[in-house]
C-alpha cells in the first residue's frame, strides 16, 4: 500500500501515525516543507521516502511531488495530512490523481466551511445553534436581536479558535463591523455550556473502532481572556453524546477517518435546540484532535490510537485489544504573564507520581494550549479537580 502523508512533521503526533503505518508494511511517502535533516529520527525511519517542497502552499510543487511518487512507486492508495489546514489540498490531490479513499474537491466544502456544516446538521436533525452569514451591520444587529447577546463571530473557514470572538454588546458588534475582516465570517447564537468532543476512528461504514470524549471550557474564552488551560479526556462517553457523535459521522459520510467533533453540553434550556444536559453540535473536524489529545486518549484508555488508525487503514478493522485500565487524563497548562502559588518543583513533589508528561509547547500553540503543560492521570474526578487548582492556582 502506498500512503502519501502531507506535512508529516507537524503536528508531532504525525510521527506516531507514520510509525504505526510503517510497522504494518505501508510505504509511507512524505511531502513536506520541513528539510529532511530537521525531521526527528523516528519519523525518518518511518518514511519510505520524503519529498521536500519549499512551500506546501504552492500546489504545483506538491502536485509534482505526488506525481513523482506515482512514477516511482505506482498508484497512490491513500493520501492524508491529518491536519485541518491542509484538508482542501488533500481533496484537490485526490481529485487530480483519482485516489479512491477520502473526500474529493466536490465534497470538501461541507467539511471545512462552518456555514456548510450547519446545513448538514440541520438536514440531519442534529441540534445546533442558529447561524447568520456575516454581510452588513444591519443584518448582524437584526440577528443579534433575534438570538440575544452574546454572539460568536468566526471565520467561515478557519482552524480552531483562530479569528473567533465573542461579542457581548451592540457596541462590540458595531466595532467588529467597523473593522470587518476580508475573509467570509459567520455569526452564531451563543449556547451556554462546556465543550464536549466526540473523538473516534471510523471504518468504511462510518462505524466506530474507538471512541473517546474530551471536555473543556470554550477555547474562545481562554484565548480572548488569556486564561490558563485545563481540560480532561475520558473513555466514559455519555450515551447521548455517543448517539449524537455516531449520527453526525453518518450525516457527513465520515468513513475511514479519525474524527474530532465538537458539541456544547447545554447548561440551560434553548427552545428548538435542547434542554439542559443535552448536546448541540458546534462543528466537525475531519482529523484527529490536536496537541497532546491523542496521547491523552492513550493514557485514559491504556491503548494506542495510532495503532488503531493504522489497522483501520490496512485491515479495515481493529485488531488491537479492548481498552485496558481506565483513567481520567488531565491537561493543565500555564501561560506567561500569570502568578502561580506553587512552583514547578512543588508540583512535581506533590503530583510527580501522577504526571506522565511535562513539557513546553511550541510557541504557535501558546495562545490556545498554554506554554508549559503537565499531563496527569487520576481515577477520581475530585482528585483531578484538586490537581487543576494546585497547578493553576
Amino acid at each position: 500500500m502506498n500512503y502519501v502523508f502531507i506535512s508529516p512533521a507537524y503536528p508531532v503526533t504525525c510521527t506516531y501515525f507514520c510509525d504505526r503505518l510503517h510497522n504494518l508494511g505501508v510505504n509511507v511517502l512524505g511531502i513536506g516543507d520541513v528539510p529532511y535533516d530537521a525531521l526527528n529520527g523516528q519519523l525518518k525511519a518511518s518514511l519510505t521516502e520524503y519529498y521536500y517542497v519549499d512551500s506546501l502552499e504552492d500546489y504545483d510543487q506538491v502536485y509534482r511531488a505526488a506525481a513523482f511518487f506515482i512514477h516511482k512507486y505506482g498508484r497512490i492508495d491513500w493520501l492524508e495530512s491529518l491536519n485541518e489546514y491542509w484538508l482542501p489540498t488533500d481533496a484537490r490531490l485526490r481529485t487530480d490523481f483519482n485516489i479512491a479513499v477520502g473526500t474529493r474537491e466536490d465534497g470538501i466544502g461541507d467539511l471545512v466551511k462552518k456555514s456548510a456544516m450547519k446545513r448538514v446538521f440541520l438536514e440531519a436533525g442534529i441540534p445546533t445553534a442558529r447561524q447568520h452569514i456575516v454581510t452588513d451591520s444591519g443584518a448582524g444587529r437584526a440577528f443579534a436581536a433575534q438570538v440575544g447577546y452574546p454572539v460568536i463571530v468566526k471565520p467561515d473557514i478557519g482552524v480552531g479558535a483562530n479569528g473567533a470572538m465573542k461579542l457581548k454588546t451592540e457596541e462590540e458588534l458595531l466595532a467588529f463591523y467597523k473593522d470587518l475582516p476580508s475573509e467570509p465570517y459567520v455569526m452564531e447564537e451563543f449556547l451556554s455550556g462546556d465543550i464536549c468532543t466526540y473523538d473516534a476512528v471510523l471504518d468504511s461504514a462510518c462505524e466506530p473502532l474507538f471512541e473517546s470524549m474530551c471536555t473543556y471550557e470554550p477555547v474562545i474564552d481562554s484565548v480572548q481572556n488569556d486564561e490558563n488551560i485545563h481540560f480532561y479526556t475520558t473513555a466514559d462517553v455519555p450515551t447521548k453524546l455517543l448517539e449524537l457523535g455516531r449520527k453526525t459521522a453518518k450525516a457527513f459520510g465520515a468513513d475511514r477517518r479519525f474524527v474530532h467533533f465538537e458539541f456544547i453540553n447545554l447548561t440551560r434550556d434553548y427552545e428548538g435546540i435542547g434542554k439542559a444536559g443535552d448536546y448541540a453540535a458546534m462543528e466537525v473536524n475531519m482529523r484527529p484532535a490536536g496537541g497532546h489529545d491523542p496521547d491523552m486518549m492513550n493514557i485514559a484508555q491504556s491503548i494506542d490510537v495510532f495503532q488503531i488508525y493504522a489497522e483501520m487503514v490496512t485491515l479495515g478493522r481493529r485488531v488491537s485489544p479492548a481498552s485496558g485500565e481506565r483513567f481520567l487524563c488531565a491537561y493543565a497548562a500555564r501561560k506567561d504573564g500569570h502568578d502561580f502559588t506553587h512552583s514547578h518543583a512543588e508540583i512535581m513533589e506533590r503530583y510527580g507520581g501522577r504526571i506522565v508528561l511535562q513539557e513546553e509547547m511550541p510557541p504557535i500553540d501558546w495562545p490556545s494550549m498554554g506554554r508549559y503543560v503537565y499531563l496527569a492521570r487520576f481515577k477520581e474526578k475530585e482528585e483531578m479537580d484538586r490537581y487543576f487548582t494546585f497547578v493553576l492556582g
Side-chain angles (χ1 to χ4, degrees), residues 10 34 36 52 63 70 73 101 133 138 175 193 203 207 230 234 245 264 278 327 335 341 343-344 356:
Y10 183 84
V34 175
Y36 179 78
Y52 169 74
Y63 179 93
I70 291 173
Y73 296 98
V101 177
I133 297 176
D203 67 12
E207 295 293 337
H230 72 280
T234 175
I264 289 285
D278 289 342
F327 300 90
K335 289 187 175 183
T341 304
S343 67
H344 170 76
V356 295

Side-chain angles (χ1 to χ4, degrees), residues 196 213 234-244 265 279:
C196 292
M213 178 185 76
T234 175
D236 298 321
V237 187
T239 300
K240 285 184 179 180
L241 184 59
L242 280 179
E243 293 174 348
L244 203 54
N265 185 204
Y279 295 88

Side-chain angles (χ1 to χ4, degrees), residues 66-139:
F68 169 80
F69 283 147
I70 291 173
H71 176 73
K72 185 170 181 178
Y73 296 98
R75 187 177 187 85
I76 297 171
D77 301 292
W78 209 291
L79 183 146
E80 291 282 2
S81 65
L82 300 183
N83 185 326
E84 188 173 346
Y85 186 80
W86 301 117
L87 291 181
T89 299
D90 298 347
R92 187 175 176 186
L93 288 166
R94 292 191 199 104
T95 302
D96 287 347
F97 291 105
N98 194 29
I99 299 169
V101 177
T103 305
R104 300 195 187 188
E105 275 193 294
D106 59 357
I108 195 63
D110 288 349
L111 308 185
V112 298
K113 296 180 66 175
K114 295 175 178 62
S115 56
M117 292 178 195
K118 191 71 64 174
R119 175 183 52 78
V120 177
F121 291 145
L122 294 174
E123 290 178 354
I126 297 169
T128 188
R130 288 170 286 183
Q131 186 188 82
H132 161 74
I133 297 176
V134 169
T135 52
D136 56 59
S137 61

Side-chain angles (χ1 to χ4, degrees), residues 149-161:
Y149 287 97
V151 293
I152 304 296
V153 290
K154 51 190 175 182
D156 196 11
I157 300 177
V159 179

Side-chain angles (χ1 to χ4, degrees), residues 197-245:
T197 71
Y198 172 81
D199 298 273
V201 175
L202 305 166
D203 67 12
S204 60
C206 303
E207 295 293 337
L209 304 177
F210 150 83
E211 294 169 300
S212 175
M213 178 185 76
C214 177
T215 182
Y216 49 90
E217 296 174 355
V219 176
I220 188 173
D221 290 334
S222 64
V223 173
Q224 199 163 341
N225 302 327
D226 193 35
E227 298 170 353
N228 294 305
I229 311 295
H230 72 280
F231 60 90
Y232 70 94
T233 294
T234 175
D236 298 321
V237 187
T239 300
K240 285 184 179 180
L241 184 59
L242 280 179
E243 293 174 348
L244 203 54

Side-chain angles (χ1 to χ4, degrees), residues 375-386:
L375 288 189
R377 63 182 189 179
F378 300 93
K379 284 290 189 178
E380 303 294 334
K381 188 175 185 302
E382 292 76 13
E383 185 181 6
M384 179 182 69
D385 290 338
R386 289 194 293 270

